[in-house]
Amino acid sequence: MTFSIGSVALESPVVLAPMSGVTDLPFRKRVKGFGAGLVISEMIASQAMIRRTRQSLKMATNCAEEYPMAVQIAGCEPAVMAEAARINADRGAAIIDINFGCPVKKVLGRCRGGFHLGQPAVALEIVARVRDSLPEAIPVTVKMRRGIDASPESREKFFTIFDGAFERGAAAVTVHARTVRQRYDGAADWRFLRELKQHAPTRTVLGSGDLHSAQACIDMLRTTGVDGVTVARGA
């Protein structure tokens, strides 16, 4: 089953999600060998990337065997995020993924990851600056959760960011069907993914959450209509 994100053609709609301490180069190569259409680096702090710290460069290192691969960046300053995106594109990343979904307390405390779901203006400036910083052939994608929490205000902000990201040139959005407040507790709400795909039928939407088996991936694709699935802990 072929699948594309922007100009990047993938052999499968199954994507390996970024996971800190897990999705390093050896792991990505192994998962790619099992048929993943796309593999994504660990989340890399944009500030560390532009300082070219040893750890950030190691996390972003890629090889031909895993191509195409994406690098995920996180941060709070649009200009810094744009520079980090440029660096990774120059180092061979086929796709740049922006993290607006991480629920980890340390990340939220630094105004990164899921924190942005509460501030649409900043989130969308980041998307615009990253997109403008890259060649057209390098797609930009966004990783989100379905909101900070389940409140109507959070839902409204989610859709502002979701729609606005595509308007600013994002090629695809991955949505983890839990809220930031849920972290990894409780069930992922696949009904939200179905609603989201009905809201944006022509947009490329990937789903994530509770994909712990091959059958679960097939079920999500069939029941929600998402274009692809992003597998995290299930990998």
Side-chain angles (χ1 to χ4, degrees):
M1 181 178 177
T2 58
F3 176 61
S4 294
I5 294 179
S7 61
V8 179
L10 310 178
E11 295 179 355
S12 165
V14 181
V15 174
L16 173 66
M19 291 179 282
S20 294
V22 177
T23 54
D24 57 10
L25 177 59
F27 188 80
R28 296 195 308 266
K29 285 175 62 177
R30 187 153 180 80
V31 173
K32 185 69 175 177
F34 278 105
L38 177 71
V39 293
I40 308 179
S41 74
E42 301 173 66
M43 181 182 70
I44 303 175
S46 57
Q47 284 280 6
M49 194 74 239
I50 67 171
R51 294 198 307 270
R52 292 174 170 80
T53 66
R54 179 180 299 180
Q55 181 65 11
S56 66
L57 293 176
K58 180 180 178 181
M59 290 164 69
T61 296
N62 53 83
C63 67
E65 293 95 320
E66 61 173 335
Y67 189 86
M69 67 85 68
V71 169
Q72 187 184 83
I73 56 175
C76 58
E77 300 171 82
V80 175
M81 290 284 281
E83 177 62 20
R86 283 194 295 268
I87 292 169
N88 282 297
D90 290 343
R91 288 171 54 86
I95 295 171
I96 299 297
D97 187 54
I98 301 172
N99 186 304
F100 290 159
C102 182
V104 174
K105 184 177 181 180
K106 180 172 69 174
V107 174
L108 299 175
R110 293 174 178 171
C111 304
R112 301 171 181 169
F115 182 88
H116 289 297
L117 296 182
Q119 50 176 19
V122 176
L124 293 176
E125 184 181 356
I126 288 173
V127 175
R129 294 285 291 270
V130 169
R131 176 63 275 170
D132 290 346
S133 74
L134 298 172
E136 191 61 34
I138 306 291
V140 173
T141 59
V142 177
K143 172 69 178 291
M144 304 173 64
R145 284 180 171 241
R146 64 181 180 90
I148 295 288
D149 53 35
S151 68
E153 179 185 7
S154 185
R155 175 187 171 88
E156 181 178 352
K157 289 179 178 179
F158 170 91
F159 279 98
T160 297
I161 297 170
F162 177 85
D163 292 333
F166 283 113
E167 291 166 2
R168 287 158 179 78
V173 173
T174 295
V175 179
H176 183 116
R178 289 185 178 86
T179 66
V180 172
R181 293 277 171 82
Q182 277 185 276
R183 290 174 55 86
Y184 303 103
D185 299 328
D189 187 357
W190 289 12
R191 295 170 301 176
F192 183 82
L193 298 177
R194 183 170 63 248
E195 176 190 356
L196 193 59
K197 191 58 187 173
Q198 291 170 348
H199 167 78
T202 64
R203 304 296 195 182
T204 301
V205 179
L206 290 80
S208 182
D210 292 343
L211 298 176
H212 297 294
S213 68
Q215 187 60 52
C217 294
I218 294 169
D219 291 344
M220 178 180 280
L221 288 166
R222 287 177 175 170
T223 63
T224 69
V226 293
D227 303 281
V229 293
T230 302
V231 181
R233 292 173 293 164

